[in-house]
Amino acid sequence: MARPHIEPFVDRSIDFKRFTLPGFSKGMHYKMLSLDNGTGACTMTVKYETGYKQPPGMSYTEVEILLMSGTIKYGKETFRPGHYLHIPPGVAMPEMKVSRAATVLMMYNFAEPSFVESDEHHRLAMPGQLTSVNAYDDIQWQPSSGAIYPAVAPGCMLKVLKYDPLTEALSFLYCMTPKFWQDNISYHDSAEEAYHIWGTSHMMQFGELPTGGYFWRPEYINHGSFSSELGILAFGRTDSKLHNYFHWNPWTSPEENRERAAAQLARQRPQLFKWAKSPDGHNHPHDFEYPDAKNNTHYI
Amino acid sequence: MAKPFIKHTVPAATKAWLKKEAVVQKKLHKAIQKEMNVDFAPKRAKLYEEFFERIKTRGFNVHFTDRRQITEEEIPTQHRKDKVVW
């Protein structure tokens, strides 16, 4: 079972709850934004009390963290708002201390939240894939036309934080300028989630999404047109390639949208499409460049 | 590439927590479905009309700065009940 379609949801509308799962220190509070009841993967707004401490340790799943307010110290490094961490599974992080009450967006992407005290990486961990960057200060905005075709309208810009070369899954900071508008309806082959750090945007289907607004949207669901009166700052994430299918029929279903996407594939890569649809059902993708991809990513 | 997760045993307390949260999540999903598919539908019908008007005049966003005007004949007719949360 995948995550249900949660859109729109505003985390300001609910209270924080104490987070008391095994392994985690006391002083952590959460608001559940979306949850996969099959795998336990979830996205939460998390608040750490001033003085919160967590010993060195690791999670069994990939974790992404965006610091939205407060200050967090990991070992000797102090992180300020805008700091983004992508922690691969099994990578041990140093001791964590919260010197000033902090709020983070926290994503356990492929399994339930876990924390195991350890000052060593798990034997299967790939610490070289750890990302630690201040998304506000260390990266500049780029127009999405440099990364995605067809692209969103000018005025919606990106900072790519995580790019999975096998699946093309993306995590990114994005913004809309004041008076931004884009008149089309979009859908993707990927699930998409986003959280408004600041500001209000408007989507034709779902109305206004203010500060603290969130969505988890499964693949092929219509969204847009889009606009923002005063602009927004937000975090977004997809679970595979973000391709924009634009159209203007607001009544199409996810099934119709998927059929349209497949029709585009059939037109654009007819030989691959013919092979993949394999009437006898015996064709299986195999990538000689990444023969172990099936075991090492979530994408098949 | 790193594995998306490392095989492990999930503690009973975590399993119980997940079960509770899944119930909350299901309720939330149902509430949003009603709010969006039923309560917001009349307002959205108006938004659709305004959208059609804009893409006929100002234009439909094709790619980045590219836009094109959609003709009256290209405007779709509603072929099923409006539903936006699935």
Side-chain angles (χ1 to χ4, degrees):
Chain A
M1 178 65 193
R3 302 189 207 195
H5 185 190
I6 299 292
E7 182 172 25
F9 177 62
V10 183
D11 73 353
R12 281 16 178 204
S13 65
I14 57 170
D15 294 326
F16 279 104
K17 295 192 273 190
R18 284 188 187 281
F19 194 79
T20 56
L21 291 193
F24 293 88
S25 305
K26 283 181 183 171
M28 189 174 166
H29 308 262
Y30 74 103
K31 295 179 181 185
M32 183 61 74
L33 303 178
S34 66
L35 171 74
D36 184 322
N37 67 9
T39 64
C42 58
T43 298
M44 301 178 286
T45 312
V46 169
K47 182 174 77 177
Y48 293 108
E49 293 173 6
T50 299
Y52 179 88
K53 278 186 191 175
Q54 190 172 274
M58 49 152 264
S59 165
Y60 287 117
T61 181
E62 171 185 284
V63 189
E64 289 179 81
I65 299 170
L66 180 73
L67 179 56
M68 297 188 288
S69 69
T71 309
I72 294 181
K73 212 173 165 186
Y74 269 102
K76 290 176 183 170
E77 286 188 277
T78 300
F79 298 151
R80 292 173 291 115
H83 204 94
Y84 167 80
L85 288 167
H86 164 237
I87 309 170
V91 170
M93 295 295 285
E95 184 188 33
M96 173 190 168
K97 286 180 185 171
V98 177
S99 48
R100 193 159 54 90
T103 313
V104 305
L105 185 66
M106 183 169 268
M107 290 147 276
Y108 287 90
N109 290 340
F110 302 109
E112 81 292 341
S114 57
F115 182 79
V116 180
E117 190 173 340
S118 173
D119 53 10
E120 285 181 1
H121 303 310
H122 188 280
R123 64 181 175 82
L124 296 174
M126 300 184 80
Q129 292 188 2
L130 173 76
T131 303
S132 176
V133 65
N134 191 297
Y136 296 169
D137 298 339
D138 300 339
I139 307 173
Q140 291 199 296
W141 293 110
Q142 64 167 316
S144 73
S145 59
I148 297 163
Y149 181 88
V152 296
C156 180
M157 289 169 281
L158 294 176
K159 296 186 183 195
V160 176
L161 302 172
K162 179 195 152 197
Y163 171 76
D164 181 332
L166 283 185
T167 64
E168 299 198 33
L170 282 177
S171 297
F172 50 93
L173 208 64
Y174 69 100
C175 71
M176 291 177 188
T177 56
K179 296 283 184 190
F180 173 79
W181 53 268
Q182 179 180 310
D183 276 326
N184 56 28
I185 297 168
S186 183
Y187 62 84
H188 317 294
D189 304 296
S190 60
E192 185 178 29
E193 71 175 330
Y195 180 87
H196 274 207
I197 300 163
W198 178 86
T200 300
S201 68
H202 185 273
M203 260 189 280
M204 184 164 68
Q205 292 80 359
F206 311 105
E208 291 199 329
L209 196 67
T211 300
Y214 171 82
F215 64 80
W216 173 277
R217 183 191 309 119
E219 56 280 358
Y220 302 115
I221 291 177
N222 284 335
H223 52 287
S225 62
F226 315 81
S227 65
S228 179
E229 189 60 26
L230 299 173
I232 64 154
L233 176 65
F235 177 88
R237 190 173 80 84
T238 66
D239 63 356
S240 57
K241 185 180 174 71
L242 177 66
H243 178 79
N244 291 318
Y245 295 91
F246 293 145
H247 68 115
W248 62 85
N249 187 339
W251 296 294
T252 58
S253 66
E255 290 75 22
E256 288 168 315
N257 290 345
R258 184 173 51 213
E259 284 168 19
R260 176 174 174 253
Q264 283 190 17
L265 180 68
R267 281 199 307 274
Q268 292 162 2
R269 298 184 183 187
Q271 296 310 320
L272 178 62
F273 179 81
K274 275 182 200 162
W275 181 86
K277 78 173 186 176
S278 169
D280 62 1
H282 290 296
N283 288 339
H284 299 287
H286 175 76
D287 188 340
F288 61 82
E289 191 181 5
Y290 300 106
D292 299 327
K294 195 174 176 181
N295 296 329
N296 290 338
T297 80
H298 63 287
Y299 82 117
I300 296 177
Chain B
M1 293 304 301
K3 286 181 182 297
F5 66 90
I6 294 166
K7 280 184 183 168
H8 59 283
T9 305
V10 181
T14 303
K15 281 184 185 169
W17 178 79
L18 287 171
K19 214 172 166 181
K20 273 187 188 172
E21 287 295 336
V23 172
V24 176
Q25 188 76 177
K26 202 174 172 183
K27 276 186 188 167
L28 175 65
H29 174 61
K30 283 205 163 185
I32 293 173
Q33 270 190 322
K34 183 189 171 293
E35 192 188 337
M36 287 293 114
N37 293 340
V38 181
D39 302 348
F40 193 58
K43 195 172 178 192
R44 190 166 47 244
K46 216 177 154 197
L47 294 174
Y48 287 167
E49 288 307 313
E50 290 168 3
F51 170 68
F52 291 146
E53 199 50 42
R54 289 197 304 275
I55 61 174
K56 282 190 288 183
T57 52
R58 191 167 67 180
F60 165 82
N61 283 86
V62 177
H63 160 67
F64 201 49
T65 54
D66 298 345
R67 277 182 282 150
R68 85 163 173 96
Q69 287 179 327
I70 304 300
T71 62
E72 180 63 43
E73 295 70 45
E74 291 176 292
I75 297 298
T77 50
Q78 186 168 356
H79 63 290
R80 65 165 177 78
K81 197 178 172 188
D82 187 39
K83 184 175 178 181
V84 296
V85 175
W86 298 81

